[in-house]
Amino acid sequence: MAIGKVLEPTALRTDDITSPGPVAGPLAGKTVGFRLDEIWRAWDWVSEIWGEEFRKAGATVKYWRSNQARTGAEGERIAKELDKFLSSIDIAVVGLGNCGSCTGWTIRDALAAAERGIPTTAVCTEVFEELGRNLAKRGGRSGLRIHILPYPLNEKLKSEVDPVAYEHLDGVIETMGATLTATARKEAAV
């Protein structure tokens, strides 16, 4: 019987950024940008609730919707739109990593925001956490902030997803390194 040796096919990056990057800090007066996609309705619902709570804290909230057509002329158009969106925000919340390709694009777009020095948080569901973290590491930013939502999520009704958004509000704020005003925090708890 022959004995073989299996080698790890991916090399470790020597330029990996293990820092999560700048914190979001107080939300008042800042523009928080939510990167959405065309697939996950649950992410739309969660981001709407979080966006409303961020507005209560004094932030301006913007949304930008991506899609999976990221090659050729359509890919170039989407890349320009993403660049324009990132130029218009102070904080990025990018989601949703809820399947293989969606997690890939979520992390890719989060890395693009982080490369600009924007406080960035990627959002994945728990089944895709490991993939998200591995992709961030392969992208040279193993320290990328990633907030984890439960799975399954998109298969639930809005009435089931809304409580999840509120349950994760404090967690995403912590992940972002953000702060709400005392008034906004009391309102968010109601």
Side-chain angles (χ1 to χ4, degrees):
M1 174 194 312
I3 297 178
K5 189 175 195 177
V6 177
L7 302 175
E8 169 66 45
T10 57
L12 295 175
R13 290 184 67 134
T14 58
D15 62 343
D16 181 43
I17 299 171
T18 58
S19 164
V23 298
L27 295 180
K30 294 181 181 164
T31 300
V32 179
F34 283 92
R35 184 280 212 176
L36 308 173
D37 55 46
E38 61 184 6
I39 298 175
W40 306 116
R41 67 183 186 170
W43 176 232
D44 285 0
W45 299 334
V46 170
S47 65
E48 287 169 8
I49 288 171
W50 289 355
E52 184 56 35
E53 297 304 325
F54 294 173
R55 281 186 195 97
K56 289 178 187 176
T60 299
V61 176
K62 296 178 91 173
Y63 297 92
W64 178 74
R65 189 172 304 278
S66 180
N67 66 45
Q68 303 299 317
R70 292 290 193 81
T71 60
E74 180 66 6
E76 290 175 20
R77 184 188 66 77
I78 294 288
K80 287 177 185 173
E81 283 185 15
L82 175 62
D83 185 58
K84 183 177 177 182
F85 174 68
L86 294 177
S87 295
S88 72
I89 62 174
D90 301 308
I91 301 165
V93 182
V94 183
L96 178 69
N98 194 44
C99 74
S101 63
C102 294
T103 302
W105 288 113
T106 292
I107 298 302
R108 182 184 180 282
D109 291 350
L111 292 174
E115 285 295 319
R116 291 171 166 255
I118 298 171
T120 302
T121 300
V123 181
C124 297
T125 56
E126 59 194 357
V127 172
F128 295 94
E129 176 180 7
E130 184 177 357
L131 176 59
R133 294 195 189 283
N134 284 335
L135 291 171
K137 186 174 183 177
R138 288 189 65 205
R141 286 192 171 269
S142 63
L144 181 70
R145 287 181 173 83
I146 300 178
H147 183 77
I148 306 303
L149 292 174
Y151 181 93
L153 190 64
N154 206 59
E155 294 74 8
K156 297 182 181 294
L157 300 172
K158 186 173 187 324
S159 61
E160 298 170 298
V161 173
D162 287 359
V164 171
Y166 286 110
E167 289 167 13
H168 281 263
L169 180 62
D170 284 341
V172 76
I173 289 166
E174 183 179 330
T175 302
M176 294 167 62
T179 57
L180 297 177
T181 63
T183 303
R185 188 170 288 282
K186 285 180 190 173
E187 290 174 3
V190 174

